[in-house]
Short mmCIF file of all heavy atoms in Angstrom, two decimals:
data_model
loop_
_atom_site.label_atom_id
_atom_site.label_comp_id
_atom_site.label_asym_id
_atom_site.label_seq_id
_atom_site.Cartn_x
_atom_site.Cartn_y
_atom_site.Cartn_z
N THR A 256 -19.23 -61.29 31.04
CA THR A 256 -19.79 -59.96 31.21
C THR A 256 -20.21 -59.71 32.66
O THR A 256 -20.68 -58.63 32.98
CB THR A 256 -20.96 -59.74 30.23
OG1 THR A 256 -21.93 -60.75 30.43
CG2 THR A 256 -20.47 -59.70 28.80
N ASP A 257 -20.09 -60.71 33.50
CA ASP A 257 -20.37 -60.55 34.94
C ASP A 257 -19.12 -60.98 35.69
O ASP A 257 -18.14 -61.44 35.12
CB ASP A 257 -21.62 -61.40 35.31
CG ASP A 257 -22.24 -61.01 36.61
OD1 ASP A 257 -21.76 -60.02 37.23
OD2 ASP A 257 -23.19 -61.67 37.04
N ALA A 258 -19.22 -60.93 37.03
CA ALA A 258 -18.05 -61.31 37.83
C ALA A 258 -17.62 -62.75 37.47
O ALA A 258 -18.48 -63.63 37.35
CB ALA A 258 -18.41 -61.24 39.30
N PRO A 259 -16.33 -62.99 37.32
CA PRO A 259 -15.90 -64.27 36.81
C PRO A 259 -15.96 -65.45 37.80
O PRO A 259 -15.90 -66.61 37.37
CB PRO A 259 -14.41 -64.02 36.48
CG PRO A 259 -14.12 -62.62 36.69
CD PRO A 259 -15.26 -62.01 37.42
N GLU A 260 -16.14 -65.21 39.08
CA GLU A 260 -16.02 -66.31 40.09
C GLU A 260 -16.91 -67.48 39.80
O GLU A 260 -16.50 -68.63 39.79
CB GLU A 260 -16.31 -65.76 41.52
CG GLU A 260 -15.20 -64.90 42.09
CD GLU A 260 -15.18 -63.48 41.51
OE1 GLU A 260 -16.21 -63.06 40.96
OE2 GLU A 260 -14.12 -62.84 41.57
N ARG A 261 -18.20 -67.22 39.55
CA ARG A 261 -19.15 -68.33 39.35
C ARG A 261 -18.82 -69.08 38.05
O ARG A 261 -18.86 -70.30 37.96
CB ARG A 261 -20.59 -67.81 39.30
CG ARG A 261 -21.60 -68.93 39.19
CD ARG A 261 -23.04 -68.46 39.45
NE ARG A 261 -23.92 -69.59 39.41
CZ ARG A 261 -24.47 -70.07 38.31
NH1 ARG A 261 -24.20 -69.47 37.14
NH2 ARG A 261 -25.22 -71.10 38.33
N PHE A 262 -18.45 -68.32 37.04
CA PHE A 262 -18.07 -68.93 35.75
C PHE A 262 -16.91 -69.89 35.94
O PHE A 262 -16.93 -71.03 35.43
CB PHE A 262 -17.69 -67.81 34.77
CG PHE A 262 -17.27 -68.27 33.42
CD1 PHE A 262 -18.24 -68.59 32.45
CD2 PHE A 262 -15.92 -68.40 33.09
CE1 PHE A 262 -17.85 -69.02 31.16
CE2 PHE A 262 -15.55 -68.83 31.83
CZ PHE A 262 -16.49 -69.13 30.86
N ILE A 263 -15.94 -69.44 36.71
CA ILE A 263 -14.76 -70.31 36.94
C ILE A 263 -15.16 -71.53 37.75
O ILE A 263 -14.71 -72.65 37.45
CB ILE A 263 -13.65 -69.47 37.67
CG1 ILE A 263 -13.10 -68.43 36.65
CG2 ILE A 263 -12.54 -70.36 38.21
CD1 ILE A 263 -12.20 -67.40 37.25
N LYS A 264 -16.01 -71.32 38.77
CA LYS A 264 -16.41 -72.45 39.61
C LYS A 264 -17.25 -73.48 38.87
O LYS A 264 -16.97 -74.69 38.91
CB LYS A 264 -17.18 -71.89 40.81
CG LYS A 264 -17.58 -72.85 41.83
CD LYS A 264 -18.08 -72.19 43.11
CE LYS A 264 -19.05 -73.05 43.85
NZ LYS A 264 -20.39 -72.52 43.89
N VAL A 265 -18.27 -72.99 38.18
CA VAL A 265 -19.20 -73.91 37.52
C VAL A 265 -18.64 -74.39 36.18
O VAL A 265 -18.98 -75.47 35.70
CB VAL A 265 -20.59 -73.21 37.32
CG1 VAL A 265 -21.57 -74.10 36.65
CG2 VAL A 265 -21.13 -72.72 38.66
N GLY A 266 -17.70 -73.59 35.62
CA GLY A 266 -17.16 -73.89 34.31
C GLY A 266 -16.56 -75.28 34.16
O GLY A 266 -16.66 -75.92 33.13
N ARG A 267 -15.93 -75.76 35.22
CA ARG A 267 -15.30 -77.06 35.20
C ARG A 267 -16.24 -78.19 34.77
O ARG A 267 -15.86 -79.09 34.02
CB ARG A 267 -14.70 -77.37 36.59
CG ARG A 267 -13.86 -78.61 36.61
CD ARG A 267 -13.69 -79.11 38.06
NE ARG A 267 -12.67 -78.35 38.77
CZ ARG A 267 -11.43 -78.76 38.90
NH1 ARG A 267 -11.04 -79.89 38.37
NH2 ARG A 267 -10.54 -78.07 39.59
N ARG A 268 -17.51 -78.09 35.25
CA ARG A 268 -18.44 -79.15 34.92
C ARG A 268 -18.64 -79.27 33.40
O ARG A 268 -18.95 -80.32 32.87
CB ARG A 268 -19.79 -78.81 35.55
CG ARG A 268 -19.87 -79.24 36.95
CD ARG A 268 -21.28 -79.04 37.49
NE ARG A 268 -21.16 -78.53 38.82
CZ ARG A 268 -21.78 -77.50 39.29
NH1 ARG A 268 -22.61 -76.81 38.57
NH2 ARG A 268 -21.57 -77.09 40.51
N PHE A 269 -18.60 -78.12 32.74
CA PHE A 269 -18.90 -78.08 31.28
C PHE A 269 -17.66 -78.31 30.46
O PHE A 269 -17.70 -78.92 29.39
CB PHE A 269 -19.50 -76.73 30.94
CG PHE A 269 -20.84 -76.47 31.53
CD1 PHE A 269 -20.98 -75.97 32.80
CD2 PHE A 269 -21.99 -76.75 30.74
CE1 PHE A 269 -22.24 -75.73 33.30
CE2 PHE A 269 -23.22 -76.52 31.26
CZ PHE A 269 -23.36 -76.03 32.56
N LEU A 270 -16.53 -77.82 30.97
CA LEU A 270 -15.31 -77.87 30.15
C LEU A 270 -14.54 -79.16 30.41
O LEU A 270 -13.65 -79.53 29.62
CB LEU A 270 -14.45 -76.62 30.46
CG LEU A 270 -13.30 -76.35 29.52
CD1 LEU A 270 -13.82 -76.07 28.10
CD2 LEU A 270 -12.47 -75.19 30.00
N GLY A 271 -14.82 -79.83 31.56
CA GLY A 271 -14.10 -81.06 31.87
C GLY A 271 -12.72 -80.74 32.48
O GLY A 271 -12.02 -81.62 32.84
N GLU A 272 -12.35 -79.47 32.54
CA GLU A 272 -11.15 -79.07 33.22
C GLU A 272 -11.33 -77.69 33.73
O GLU A 272 -12.31 -77.04 33.40
CB GLU A 272 -9.91 -79.14 32.29
CG GLU A 272 -10.04 -78.23 31.08
CD GLU A 272 -8.87 -78.43 30.10
OE1 GLU A 272 -8.85 -79.40 29.38
OE2 GLU A 272 -7.99 -77.54 30.10
N LYS A 273 -10.36 -77.27 34.60
CA LYS A 273 -10.57 -76.00 35.25
C LYS A 273 -10.42 -74.81 34.27
O LYS A 273 -9.56 -74.80 33.43
CB LYS A 273 -9.50 -75.90 36.34
CG LYS A 273 -9.86 -74.94 37.43
CD LYS A 273 -8.98 -75.18 38.66
CE LYS A 273 -9.28 -74.17 39.71
NZ LYS A 273 -8.47 -72.96 39.65
N VAL A 274 -11.31 -73.83 34.42
CA VAL A 274 -11.08 -72.55 33.76
C VAL A 274 -10.18 -71.79 34.70
O VAL A 274 -10.60 -71.48 35.81
CB VAL A 274 -12.44 -71.79 33.52
CG1 VAL A 274 -12.19 -70.49 32.88
CG2 VAL A 274 -13.45 -72.63 32.79
#
Side-chain angles (χ1 to χ4, degrees):
T256 54
D257 196 4
E260 287 75 21
R261 183 167 184 274
F262 180 81
I263 290 170
K264 185 167 152 246
V265 181
R267 186 198 280 263
R268 277 186 220 131
F269 292 84
L270 194 62
E272 60 186 76
K273 202 165 177 267
V274 180

